[in-house]
Amino acid sequence: MRNAIFLQWKGSAMRSHSTLLAPKTKHSTLASFSKTVAMTVGAAAIANIGRKLAVQSPTTLAGDWFDGLVAEHRMVMKVFDALEATESSSTAKRQLFLTQITHALSKHAFEEENVIYTALRNAGRVEDADKLNNDHGYVKQYLADLNAMKKDDPDFLPKVTAFRRHLESHIREEEDELFPALRSHLDAAANSALTRKMNVQGLLLA
């Protein structure tokens, strides 16, 4: 009995020893897989960075923070033009344009709320900054309502038009008064710093 147990243990030990000495096929496969995953993740990360830079580049290339925000205003209004020109049967187009507007305004609001409105408050324009921020609340409400609506709803385009009118009023206040006043209030170094901060925030949501 003891001999049988000893032989069984010996055989098991030899098999284990043999496994240890065998080529590390499983380990090699795992290493290869890990390397492939790392390369894929790395490539995806690089592609994502490239996409973000491409999305933010029109803002960056427009000039300083004020010029960049004006460029974003013009871009989103072009998408509104396309959306308002659609027929009720073009539900897929309407959803596509609405998605583009939603993404563009989300990034735009992120830039303004996190950087520009803060600068306005620091410059003593607290009530103006709060009013602009409050306007963004209505922008988000319009976006939520329109995204929830059926795109062939007879009330869809009238709501889009009402949304556009609200947005245009908000933009005029920014472009005609508050933003030029802020840019004039800041020196060149402060404006450059504001531009960098705004573009960094834009890249986060681009």
Side-chain angles (χ1 to χ4, degrees):
M1 182 66 178
R2 289 181 179 177
N3 289 338
I5 293 173
F6 174 76
L7 289 173
Q8 185 178 5
W9 171 84
K10 184 177 180 182
S12 176
M14 290 178 68
R15 284 194 299 273
S16 299
H17 183 66
S18 175
T19 300
L20 290 172
L21 293 178
K24 297 182 179 180
T25 306
K26 291 183 180 179
H27 294 287
S28 299
T29 302
L30 181 60
S32 176
F33 175 73
S34 298
K35 184 177 180 181
T36 301
V37 169
M39 290 175 65
T40 303
V41 170
I46 292 170
N48 189 46
I49 291 171
R51 182 192 61 77
K52 283 177 172 288
L53 289 172
V55 170
Q56 189 64 20
S57 63
T59 304
T60 305
L61 294 174
D64 69 4
W65 63 270
F66 177 56
D67 296 327
L69 292 176
V70 170
E72 290 187 354
H73 290 158
R74 301 296 176 269
M75 180 191 71
V76 80
M77 285 306 164
K78 286 183 180 179
V79 187
F80 267 99
D81 289 340
L83 177 57
E84 290 181 300
T86 58
E87 300 292 335
S88 59
S89 58
S90 302
T91 55
K93 276 188 178 181
R94 286 184 172 184
Q95 183 58 65
L96 174 62
F97 293 140
L98 182 59
T99 298
Q100 291 175 348
I101 289 171
T102 300
H103 185 267
L105 289 179
S106 296
K107 182 178 82 72
H108 184 77
F110 196 71
E111 293 168 341
E112 290 185 334
E113 291 170 10
N114 286 5
V115 179
I116 308 305
Y117 296 173
T118 298
L120 276 173
R121 292 187 183 95
N122 290 338
R125 309 292 294 262
V126 176
E127 290 184 6
D128 293 324
D130 289 346
K131 193 267 181 185
L132 293 177
N133 196 72
N134 186 60
D135 287 347
H136 280 189
Y138 286 99
V139 168
K140 292 165 187 175
Q141 185 65 54
Y142 271 115
L143 289 171
D145 291 345
L146 286 168
N147 276 292
M149 288 178 72
K150 290 184 177 180
K151 303 308 173 281
D152 57 358
D153 190 317
D155 293 329
F156 180 78
L157 277 189
K159 196 169 189 71
V160 168
T161 300
F163 179 23
R164 179 175 188 152
R165 298 294 172 262
H166 169 83
L167 200 58
E168 286 174 335
S169 175
H170 173 80
I171 288 171
R172 282 195 299 271
E173 188 173 9
E174 290 181 334
E175 292 186 6
D176 296 346
E177 179 190 351
L178 298 178
F179 287 177
L182 176 61
R183 182 162 64 174
S184 297
H185 173 77
L186 301 173
D187 61 22
N191 275 302
S192 294
L194 206 61
T195 300
R196 287 193 299 274
K197 288 178 183 178
M198 189 196 75
N199 281 306
V200 167
Q201 292 298 304
L203 281 171
L204 292 176
L205 285 194

